[in-house]
Amino acid sequence: MTAAVTSASHLAAKPAGSRLRFYAVWLIGVAVLIVLPLLFNSGGSLTSFSLIGIAIVFALSYNVLLGQTGLLSFGHAVHYGLGGFAACHMMNAVLAHGWPIPLPFIPLFGGLGGLAFAIILGWVMTKRAGTVFAMISLGIGELVASSSLILRSVFGGEAGITTDRTALPRMFGWTFGPQLQVYYLIAFWLVLSAIAMYALTRTPLGRISNAVRDNPERVQFIGYDPHVVRYLAYCFAGFFAGIAGGLAAISFEIANSAYLGAIQSGLVLFATFIGGTAYFFGPILGAILVTYLQLGLTSLTSVWQLYFGIIFIGIVMFSPGGIAGLLMMHRPLVRAGTLGMVIPSYLVAIVPTAALAYGVILTIETVARYSAGDAINLFGMALNPQSPATWGAAAILVVAGLVVARWTWQRIAEAWDRAATVARDRGYLA
């Protein structure tokens, strides 16, 4: 009897502990958003943090389609861009008519702009999934992007639509002129949107969306219409993408055709996939990494998009679950206490893997700058792209780094098998 009571109390305490950890993660995230600009308060840092926040909302909205419902879209930027235009038009209307709508409410109108497009065209687009949906989304995206240069009364042509966020009615005395105030506005909507999208994944709609992603025939057999489920998920994704576009319009005080283009759709696809679609925090990691790389690489090299492609190919080949999937693979080892069996192999592999990466970067920059003769500056080392020594160094680093790195990767696989076996024996790995 005592053993039964103890077991029952243990089972009851475990969910309580899980809930506490769940709330702690969210509270830590909010605390980080509050403290971050206090530690890094330069204008460039605040702008970067604002862009990362917008990218996170955008990537999470895309994962409602790709990760939750299995819809691969090549035109998700349409909702993002239309949300930005809707926010700009709303801000200008507030200024023209004197409506008492402060700036913090403007992203909601951006969300409604993205939602309106999803409601109108989503029913037709979501009739089919897979390749058909992907091609339709690509065509619709290019159609709207090209139309933005023609319908000047709505999209403003090549110049776009400009606005002034500081002229709107104040809220709590904030003018939203300083970048710090804009950052906190974006952080507020980031937390609100993230909570809403996470809650959506826990609803019956979120669960049935996962079922439609995995087996739409069985969903239809039990009485649900996969088309309706896909349509509702598409509408929710369009709404939150519109919020991200509205935040971008507030940050830049302009909306133009670049918001709607294929590059924007490609970036959000890249961020979501590289972060990992199987876990909610995956797109968050991907958005942070992609935004950071985009801001950093564009000022260092003219072929930054090539690096994005290489990273994407590497993730697809070696870690299809993305960064989040790679991290979560270690969770059973941590719980079983066998992670220490793998760490030494990781440490041994760092040097040859870094050498291989350095050689690939040196090769790309040498080829890209050979004709112009511009000096290559890698980690404080100035190299001449037209020098045979540079070509030889790049070749040695790539070949030797690849040979040694592959040997160390085999040692990692062996150490991983041993650690996983012990974890499985202890009941932490299925």
Side-chain angles (χ1 to χ4, degrees), residues 109-324:
F109 295 96
L112 294 176
L115 175 62
F117 182 84
I119 291 175
I120 295 172
L121 291 182
W123 185 258
V124 177
M125 294 179 62
T126 56
K127 281 184 176 294
R128 300 286 298 275
T131 306
V132 176
F133 175 82
M135 293 299 100
I136 293 176
S137 66
L138 177 61
I140 294 295
E142 290 302 308
L143 177 63
V144 175
S146 60
S147 299
S148 66
L149 301 176
I150 301 173
L151 303 176
R152 296 181 177 274
S153 60
V154 179
F155 300 103
E158 295 181 355
I161 302 294
T162 58
T163 186
D164 183 7
R165 64 172 182 255
T166 61
L168 268 69
R170 297 185 180 183
M171 188 173 184
F172 306 119
W174 285 22
T175 63
F176 295 99
Q179 187 63 36
L180 179 63
Q181 296 179 5
V182 176
Y183 164 80
Y184 279 121
L185 173 61
I186 294 174
F188 169 78
W189 276 99
L190 166 60
V191 173
L192 191 64
S193 301
I195 292 175
M197 281 185 273
Y198 181 81
L200 178 63
T201 65
R202 318 305 292 180
T203 61
L205 175 61
R207 298 301 191 185
I208 202 67
S209 295
N210 297 156
V212 169
R213 174 197 63 195
D214 298 333
N215 197 329
E217 290 80 10
R218 179 167 294 183
V219 170
Q220 191 171 13
F221 178 77
I222 63 176
Y224 291 94
D225 188 352
H227 177 208
V228 175
V229 175
R230 288 194 293 261
Y231 175 65
L232 293 175
Y234 185 79
C235 290
F236 276 108
F239 174 74
F240 288 110
I243 288 178
L247 293 174
I250 291 174
S251 180
F252 296 110
E253 297 181 293
I254 188 174
N256 53 35
S257 58
Y259 284 34
L260 301 160
I263 294 179
Q264 199 72 38
S265 295
L267 285 175
V268 71
L269 169 61
F270 180 78
T272 306
F273 193 87
I274 195 176
T277 60
Y279 300 94
F280 182 80
F281 68 92
I284 297 176
L285 298 179
I288 294 173
L289 177 62
V290 169
T291 306
Y292 180 78
L293 288 177
Q294 188 178 14
L295 294 174
L297 291 179
T298 51
S299 60
L300 296 177
T301 177
S302 60
V303 292
W304 59 272
Q305 292 177 329
L306 178 59
Y307 291 102
F308 274 26
I310 293 174
I311 294 173
F312 186 79
I313 293 173
I315 290 293
V316 171
M317 292 180 60
F318 301 106
S319 180
I323 299 174

Side-chain angles (χ1 to χ4, degrees), residues 365-428:
E365 293 301 321
T366 302
V367 174
R369 306 188 186 201
Y370 178 79
S371 59
D374 298 333
I376 303 172
N377 190 356
L378 290 180
F379 307 107
M381 297 178 59
L383 301 171
N384 182 8
Q386 297 179 342
S387 172
T390 303
W391 287 87
I396 293 173
L397 285 172
V398 170
V399 175
L402 179 60
V403 171
V404 180
R406 290 195 62 178
W407 178 80
T408 58
W409 296 341
Q410 292 175 359
R411 303 287 80 77
I412 291 177
E414 294 172 358
W416 180 271
D417 290 339
R418 291 193 297 269
T421 300
V422 176
R424 187 179 296 107
D425 293 340
R426 295 178 181 177
Y428 289 100

Side-chain angles (χ1 to χ4, degrees), residues 36-46 49 180:
L36 201 58
L38 303 180
L39 301 177
F40 307 94
N41 55 8
S42 65
S45 298
L46 293 175
F49 296 151
L180 179 63

